[in-house]
Amino acid sequence: MTFSEPEPATRMAKIKVANPVVDLDGDEMTRIIWKLIKDKLILPFLDLEIEYYDLGMENRDATDDHVTVAAAHAIQKWGVGIKCATITPDEARVKEFGLKHMWKSPNGTIRNILGGVVFREPIICRNVPRLVPGWTQPIIIGRHAFGDQYRATDFVVPGKGKLTVKWEGEDGQTIEHEVFDYPGGGVAMTMYNLDESIEEFARASLRYALDRKYPIYLSTKNTILKAYDGRFKDIFQHIYETEFAELYKTASITYEHRLIDDMVASALKWSGGFVWACKNYDGDVQSDQVAQGFGSLGLMTSVLLTPDGKTVEAEAAHGTVTRHFRQHQRGESTSTNSIASIFAWTRGLKHRAKLDDNAALDRFAETLEKVCVDTVEAGFMTKDLALLVGDHQGWLTTEGFLDKVAENLDAALAA
């Protein structure tokens, strides 16, 4: 028989949350952490209904991935999804789990149903060294995760010949271009995007920056891709002027388009404190550069926001920490950084608070975020951060760090 630890006498009454959040469980070490976070940092403090979906690899396979689709529709219904890291299987994982298929990325499936833009933001701890020391405020990368190189048709050109591209309209109209007359072998690629998707990208990005009260920059290379990137620039400008200009003026923030090369150079010189709306490939690259520039991918949040601003799915920006899970399976102690997973909960709860007009819940989420950062800055951290800080920095186990955060959260809320 086991007994739960008695709650501290100073613990406040649980905060009532009017509507549910959707909890998307995941895989490996992050699944272990996920339960610890709920047990130690969420459920003791919140009277919260959770609609639970098990997105662990085994259950996705057992349900033919219908559980992922069901979870996405639940997020649409309730407006808030909070997701644990999950495995996207490759050939080795198919063999390891004995899977029926090489199932698609759960993130991709959910994104395709919800729409919207993924925003990645660093969690800044002053004692964690930054590769770009001048970055003192967050740089938030909004990635347009649709089309372009990721849905391109590319092929090897075997030899001398002519490449053409042709579009045929339903009304019989045609547009045809001669692209290149190959003198020998080479490669070729065609890619595309949609006005509707770019419009969603613009609305979600402009709305997210407005919510955070940060200026926003769109980066393209429209001087070279005059029609393709120019379309991004024109659509953003139109939506800004017709839907957001007055709101931005009231909030004293700005929107600006910049060339991608100029934006990369400027971002390195600036101190942060802005949203950077990136095309698909650019966002893929820059989100990792920003994560490393601020110190660690383990200190990076990921929030999917729909264009209407009503729906959020929050998660950590890292994977399932397989190496630590293998240690855990062997019964060995681990020191896994849980901060980004904690922030997945806080960012989801903040949106729940906004939708429900629940100031107490918003204060709780803000307090938990501050406690996580303060705990690290006070010298209590997991091994990955300790190695960054220096040879003399001590570190805590996975459970030890979460216990310390829980202790500090109790004290902060009591105060």
Side-chain angles (χ1 to χ4, degrees):
M1 181 179 293
T2 59
F3 297 90
S4 60
E5 182 181 344
E7 294 187 357
T10 55
R11 179 165 290 174
M12 54 181 277
K14 287 188 177 183
I15 297 167
K16 175 65 179 175
V17 183
N19 291 294
V21 299
V22 181
D23 171 9
L24 288 68
D25 210 345
D27 289 298
E28 298 189 320
M29 197 63 207
T30 43
R31 186 182 181 95
I32 305 297
I33 289 171
W34 204 246
K35 185 177 187 306
L36 292 171
I37 291 170
K38 286 187 286 187
D39 290 347
K40 294 176 183 288
L41 302 177
I42 304 299
L43 297 179
F45 302 95
L46 303 180
D47 181 3
L48 172 67
E49 183 182 345
I50 291 176
E51 188 165 322
Y52 176 84
Y53 291 85
D54 183 358
L55 265 59
M57 190 69 262
E58 297 91 339
N59 195 47
R60 278 182 277 149
D61 191 61
T63 63
D64 293 331
D65 209 28
H66 292 314
V67 65
T68 307
V69 176
H73 289 306
I75 297 171
Q76 284 181 318
K77 177 180 178 181
W78 296 114
V80 179
I82 303 173
K83 182 180 174 295
C84 182
T86 48
I87 293 169
T88 298
D90 55 13
E91 291 88 346
R93 293 294 201 172
V94 169
K95 184 177 180 181
E96 176 187 345
F97 288 96
L99 303 179
K100 303 170 191 172
H101 298 287
M102 194 184 300
W103 302 107
K104 294 180 180 178
S105 161
N107 291 338
T109 299
I110 293 166
R111 260 200 313 266
N112 288 338
I113 292 170
L114 298 181
V117 175
V118 175
F119 297 92
R120 292 197 163 181
E121 175 180 353
I123 302 161
I124 301 174
C125 300
R126 287 175 297 180
N127 56 334
V128 175
R130 291 184 289 276
L131 290 176
V132 185
W135 285 353
T136 56
Q137 300 178 79
I139 296 173
I140 304 171
I141 302 294
R143 176 185 172 190
H144 182 216
F146 177 82
D148 299 351
Q149 289 95 323
Y150 298 82
R151 293 199 178 184
T153 300
D154 65 320
F155 59 97
V156 174
V157 174
K160 187 175 181 179
K162 187 174 292 185
L163 176 67
T164 61
V165 61
K166 182 178 181 180
W167 172 84
E168 297 181 6
E170 285 189 341
D171 60 358
Q173 178 188 3
T174 62
I175 299 173
E176 188 167 1
H177 292 282
E178 181 179 319
V179 178
F180 189 62
D181 195 355
Y182 283 81
V187 291
M189 178 177 75
T190 61
M191 64 185 193
Y192 67 91
N193 223 296
L194 299 173
D195 283 356
E196 181 182 13
S197 182
I198 301 168
E199 289 164 6
E200 288 190 352
F201 175 38
R203 286 193 179 93
S205 299
L206 291 164
R207 190 175 302 281
Y208 194 86
L210 182 63
D211 288 345
R212 295 299 304 273
K213 301 296 187 290
Y214 276 167
I216 178 172
Y217 301 91
L218 166 70
S219 61
T220 74
K221 193 67 173 176
N222 68 304
T223 50
I224 302 300
L225 299 172
K226 291 180 171 60
Y228 199 105
D229 281 23
R231 192 65 172 161
F232 280 80
K233 178 179 181 291
D234 292 346
I235 287 174
F236 258 78
Q237 190 66 36
H238 174 73
I239 289 177
Y240 170 71
E241 290 176 357
T242 57
E243 300 178 25
F244 288 91
E246 288 302 315
L247 295 170
Y248 270 52
K249 184 178 179 181
T250 301
S252 299
I253 57 175
T254 56
Y255 160 71
E256 185 180 346
H257 169 267
R258 283 178 174 250
L259 292 174
I260 179 65
D261 44 351
D262 174 54
M263 188 64 206
V264 169
S266 296
L268 287 171
K269 293 185 291 183
W270 295 344
S271 62
F274 59 88
V275 176
W276 183 353
C278 293
K279 291 176 61 201
N280 206 345
Y281 179 81
D282 298 338
D284 194 357
V285 173
Q286 295 305 323
S287 59
D288 278 3
Q289 177 169 292
V290 165
Q292 293 303 326
F294 276 98
S296 171
L297 188 57
L299 294 175
M300 198 78 170
T301 68
S302 181
V303 173
L304 172 70
L305 177 72
T306 57
D308 60 10
K310 294 180 180 179
T311 304
V312 154
E313 184 220 16
E315 65 172 340
H318 57 67
T320 58
V321 202
T322 305
R323 182 170 58 86
H324 287 197
F325 183 61
R326 300 297 184 227
Q327 290 177 234
H328 173 80
Q329 286 178 311
R330 293 193 296 267
E332 299 172 8
S333 177
T334 62
S335 182
T336 311
N337 187 347
S338 54
I339 293 176
S341 293
I342 296 170
F343 271 62
W345 277 93
T346 58
R347 295 295 158 95
L349 292 171
K350 282 183 183 181
H351 192 66
R352 180 77 278 156
K354 179 182 177 182
L355 294 176
D356 296 351
D357 195 22
N358 188 335
L361 178 60
D362 186 68
R363 282 194 301 272
F364 169 81
E366 287 283 355
T367 301
L368 179 49
E369 290 190 359
K370 185 176 186 303
V371 163
C372 283
V373 173
D374 288 349
T375 300
V376 172
E377 291 182 348
F380 301 96
M381 63 193 73
T382 47
K383 187 176 181 180
D384 60 315
L385 299 182
L387 292 173
L388 295 173
V389 172
D391 294 339
H392 301 294
Q393 174 61 53
W395 47 273
L396 300 172
T397 63
T398 303
E399 294 85 350
F401 176 74
L402 283 164
D403 286 339
K404 189 64 179 177
V405 172
E407 175 189 328
N408 292 343
L409 180 60
D410 262 322
L413 292 172

